[in-house]
Amino acid sequence: MVTDKEIAELIFPEVKETIEDLEKRYPQRNLSSFQEVTRFAPSPTGFLHTGSLFTSLICHKVAKDSNGIFYVRLEDTDTKREIEGSGAELLNQLKLFGIEPSEGYLGDHEIGNYGPYIQSNRADIYKVVIKHLLEQGKAYPCFCSSQALDEIRAKQEKAKIIPGYYGPFAKCRYLTNEEKKERIINGEPYVIRFKSSGNHLRKIKVHDLVHGDFEIAQNDMDIVILKSDGLPTYHFAHACDDHFMRTTTVIRGEEWIASLPIHIELFETLGWKAPNYAHLPVIMKLDESGHKRKLSKRLDSEAAVSYFLKDGYPSEALIMYLMTIANSNFEEWIFEHKFEHMEEFNFSFNKMSLEGALFDMGKLNFFSKEILSKKSKEEMLDMVLTYSKTYDQKLYDLVSSNPDYFKEIINIEREKENPRKDYEKLGGLYDLISFFYKDLYDQKLKEQPLEYNPKFSKDDIKEVLKALKDKLDTSLDEQGWFNNMKEIGISLGYASSGKDYKANPEAYKGSVSDIAEMLRITLTGKKNSPNLYYVMKVLKTDEWKRRIDLVLNS
């Protein structure tokens, strides 16, 4: 009679290690019960998803707050979808957001005693565990072809029962060991399946750090744990890896809740303590019909972290925004702390929403403006040069041609208690500051005539501009300069305030705000710009007067 151990030896004759050997190779970590070991386990199948950044942010935060360990494990067992180099790129992008592992896969090397941290390099570990399951009669070789599996599914769908390889439909679990041995020796291809002892009609109680206690149907599927290419499936590999890497809390998206019964059964069958699980709410978006849906890689540009990098959002802004999704009390906390030191915020799973949060670009822009406004002119110069060198060559050439002039531009009303918030991202900055540069201003003026308020005639505008050119004094302080402008306006028949004009519009041509708008449009080509007084200080007297002359002579 052929035993389970003989079948295991027939399949894995080269495997001599035991689970006990692995336990010694990967001992319990020397940490207290309060220190968390978390992991980010991406697949090298493309760009860093915004949802993945959210997950890694929480993993990193939980480990750091507990003085624990955050590591990265590359789950590359899906060779058909793997994109070369994407694993290292994922790590590079995480680093831009201040999320750096203390252990694990680091792109071009690994750090830590619990590796390898790339799943495809851990085949010997998986084989030891699978051989153990085979010896215990808790796994078996399955010889069913794709066609046979399709036939099983067709019968199940016709009968309107749960599809899958389980119970009476799991044909190969009922093969005798003699039959298994013969088919293996004959060279028939096979996979290894886990033999479930569950029943989907029964419920198991589970505890989730986000969702609390709930019941869910037991697993009864005989899932594949080793594919025909010799690589494990995700379900099995994650259980082995989280056990031997001594993960304390698995943090992942709530789409994995459906797989929880499989994972719990694997841990129980192997006699291992399962980690804590925290299933995070997914990030949502409103579709064109107004319905919520999950942020999609295929449909939504903001699903890729690279979108925000290319658009020039400071990394802190996206992290800050994601923290508002993570904890309901974070937004109030960060306002109280003036948008600084968010690393001091105490994260809690209890403060997480159970519903998927809608991605709010307006709120992200708000945080981005706040963060950029707090940067010094030197920090802004460094940020802009770093960003533009990769994403905007025109901006890079412009700024690097005269860094000191750029610092003057970007520093307008920056060094004050409540700095101006003229910029919400670095993308598009070229267009916002190009008017400061003589050649670019002249070029745009040739291509696009200035658009003034149509209620004023060309003669009215020229009269105002000539008076401003001759009488406006930018050597005064800002209040003196503005009073000077009001006096000029009053002498030309304009009200000294919008209030006076509204009270008696027939008595005036307009108000001082109309005067300021005429000057702003003349000097910048825009109705909106940074503080006009400081724009003129940056341009210097000769240049702003030259620009007025261009309009007067047109």
Side-chain angles (χ1 to χ4, degrees):
M1 180 178 176
V2 179
T3 65
D4 292 329
K5 284 192 175 183
E6 288 178 72
I7 294 298
E9 189 64 27
L10 182 63
I11 294 174
F12 296 116
E14 77 284 5
V15 175
K16 302 303 179 186
E17 275 191 300
T18 65
I19 286 185
E20 289 72 25
D21 293 326
L22 294 177
E23 297 286 0
K24 292 176 183 176
R25 196 199 306 180
Y26 303 111
Q28 292 290 340
R29 295 175 182 269
N30 186 26
L31 299 173
S32 74
S33 60
F34 300 103
Q35 291 175 284
E36 297 277 8
V37 180
T38 65
R39 46 74 161 177
F40 177 51
S43 299
T45 54
F47 59 75
L48 180 61
H49 192 280
T50 303
S52 297
L53 176 62
F54 179 56
T55 301
S56 62
L57 167 65
I58 304 305
C59 292
H60 182 255
K61 180 70 174 167
V62 168
K64 194 168 184 180
D65 284 358
S66 67
N67 196 29
I69 292 169
F70 167 64
Y71 71 90
V72 170
R73 180 174 74 227
L74 194 66
E75 300 193 338
D76 64 339
T77 57
D78 190 350
T79 53
K80 292 179 181 178
R81 296 175 59 229
E82 183 172 350
I83 297 175
E84 187 176 353
S86 61
E89 181 59 25
L90 289 172
L91 268 292
N92 290 335
Q93 289 189 349
L94 283 181
K95 190 173 182 180
L96 293 174
F97 292 90
I99 299 173
E100 296 189 64
S102 49
E103 178 182 306
Y105 168 77
L106 301 180
D108 56 355
H109 67 289
E110 296 183 359
I111 292 178
N113 298 322
Y114 290 81
Y117 295 91
I118 300 176
Q119 282 187 335
S120 58
N121 294 335
R122 296 173 62 82
D124 62 320
I125 297 170
Y126 307 131
K127 288 178 180 178
V128 170
V129 181
I130 293 172
K131 185 174 184 179
H132 171 79
L133 288 173
L134 288 166
E135 290 173 342
Q136 300 294 313
K138 296 175 181 177
Y140 60 90
C142 173
F143 304 91
C144 289
S145 65
S146 298
Q147 182 180 350
L149 295 174
D150 288 341
E151 290 173 359
I152 291 171
R153 177 173 286 274
K155 288 180 182 179
Q156 291 168 331
E157 290 175 348
K158 186 176 182 180
K160 296 183 179 180
I161 58 178
I162 296 173
Y165 201 82
Y166 65 98
F169 301 104
K171 293 182 177 181
C172 290
R173 77 181 293 172
Y174 302 108
L175 294 175
T176 65
N177 282 342
E178 285 74 17
E179 289 173 309
K180 296 172 190 174
K181 180 177 180 180
E182 181 181 356
R183 296 178 76 165
I184 292 170
I185 291 173
N186 289 338
E188 288 190 43
Y190 60 88
V191 297
I192 304 293
R193 288 185 182 272
F194 171 68
K195 186 184 284 187
S196 174
S197 59
N199 183 336
H200 67 263
L201 298 177
R202 293 198 296 263
K203 301 279 189 179
I204 57 171
K205 292 181 179 179
V206 297
H207 177 74
D208 183 271
L209 296 175
V210 177
H211 296 264
D213 297 320
F214 60 94
E215 291 188 339
I216 192 169
Q218 269 188 346
N219 171 64
D220 59 3
M221 296 289 171
D222 286 5
I223 62 164
V224 175
I225 57 177
L226 191 72
K227 298 178 288 186
S228 56
D229 61 3
L231 289 173
T233 56
Y234 166 79
H235 296 301
F236 180 74
H238 118 275
C240 290
D241 294 340
D242 284 329
H243 174 71
F244 289 117
M245 292 178 177
R246 308 302 177 181
T247 308
T248 61
T249 300
V250 171
I251 301 168
R252 58 191 183 184
E254 64 180 21
E255 66 269 22
W256 288 104
I257 288 179
S259 301
L260 199 52
I262 295 174
H263 302 158
I264 289 174
E265 187 181 8
L266 282 170
F267 278 100
E268 289 179 348
T269 301
L270 288 161
W272 298 338
K273 181 185 177 182
N276 294 317
Y277 284 95
H279 290 90
L280 308 181
V282 296
I283 299 176
M284 311 287 283
K285 183 177 180 177
L286 287 179
D287 62 20
E288 293 178 356
S289 59
H291 295 104
K292 285 184 179 182
R293 61 168 173 78
K294 184 180 175 182
L295 203 61
S296 166
K297 288 183 181 182
R298 186 172 56 87
L299 300 174
D300 306 312
S301 55
E302 60 267 44
V305 169
S306 57
Y307 166 80
F308 302 101
L309 297 175
K310 290 176 183 175
D311 233 17
Y313 285 95
S315 58
E316 305 103 298
L318 186 53
I319 292 296
M320 196 172 284
Y321 170 65
L322 291 176
M323 282 302 297
T324 67
I325 297 177
N327 266 188
S328 56
N329 59 326
F330 174 77
E331 192 166 346
E332 181 181 353
W333 185 93
I334 201 67
F335 270 83
E336 290 176 355
H337 290 77
K338 299 180 179 179
F339 306 94
E340 295 176 349
H341 310 299
M342 61 177 162
E343 69 280 357
E344 296 176 6
F345 173 75
N346 291 318
F347 169 81
S348 171
F349 285 115
N350 294 328
K351 295 290 186 180
M352 286 200 110
S353 168
L354 297 183
E355 296 183 8
L358 285 173
F359 196 89
D360 188 341
M361 285 298 296
K363 189 174 286 188
L364 172 62
N365 290 335
F366 169 80
F367 283 127
S368 189
K369 278 186 175 182
E370 290 290 339
I371 288 169
L372 287 178
S373 72
K374 291 179 177 294
K375 302 293 183 184
S376 69
K377 59 186 177 182
E378 288 79 15
E379 288 173 323
M380 285 297 292
L381 175 63
D382 289 343
M383 286 177 68
V384 170
L385 288 176
T386 300
Y387 163 77
S388 61
K389 193 170 186 178
T390 301
Y391 298 110
D392 191 341
Q393 188 62 46
K394 282 201 309 181
L395 179 60
Y396 180 80
D397 292 341
L398 189 67
V399 173
S400 61
S401 66
N402 192 338
D404 289 334
Y405 186 57
F406 172 77
K407 285 195 286 186
E408 281 189 71
I409 294 168
I410 212 69
N411 205 44
I412 289 176
E413 290 198 298
R414 182 170 294 276
E415 297 174 356
K416 53 190 294 190
E417 186 176 350
N418 293 306
R420 278 180 67 100
K421 301 172 180 67
D422 290 309
Y423 310 104
E424 68 182 19
K425 56 184 179 180
L426 304 185
L429 186 61
Y430 179 91
D431 291 332
L432 293 177
I433 66 171
S434 60
F435 72 83
F436 281 101
Y437 296 84
K438 177 177 178 293
D439 292 345
L440 296 177
Y441 171 88
D442 290 353
Q443 180 183 338
K444 187 169 183 180
L445 193 61
K446 289 178 182 177
E447 297 171 353
Q448 185 178 330
L450 299 176
E451 295 182 9
Y452 295 97
N453 189 328
K455 77 176 184 179
F456 298 108
S457 69
K458 192 172 183 180
D459 289 340
D460 288 335
I461 295 167
K462 286 191 174 184
E463 180 186 38
V464 168
L465 292 178
K466 186 176 187 310
L468 290 172
K469 179 195 170 189
D470 293 339
K471 300 176 182 178
L472 191 58
D473 185 359
T474 53
S475 69
L476 301 170
D477 63 19
E478 186 178 359
Q479 188 58 52
W481 166 84
F482 187 67
N483 290 336
N484 184 196
M485 184 185 295
K486 281 201 291 188
E487 291 169 2
I488 295 169
I490 291 169
S491 71
L492 297 175
Y494 292 81
S496 63
S497 69
K499 183 179 179 182
D500 289 346
Y501 177 66
K502 285 181 181 179
N504 194 6
E506 293 180 0
Y508 304 101
K509 292 181 182 178
S511 73
V512 67
S513 60
D514 293 314
I515 299 284
E517 183 180 89
M518 292 178 198
L519 182 58
R520 187 185 307 276
I521 291 172
T522 299
L523 301 185
T524 72
K526 307 166 185 283
K527 288 185 178 180
N528 297 301
S529 76
N531 183 303
L532 184 57
Y533 171 74
Y534 291 102
V535 167
M536 296 177 76
K537 298 288 276 187
V538 171
L539 289 175
K540 306 294 187 295
T541 303
D542 286 349
E543 176 58 16
W544 68 256
K545 288 189 173 185
R546 185 191 74 85
R547 295 185 182 191
I548 289 178
D549 279 336
L550 287 176
V551 175
L552 293 176
N553 296 327
S554 63

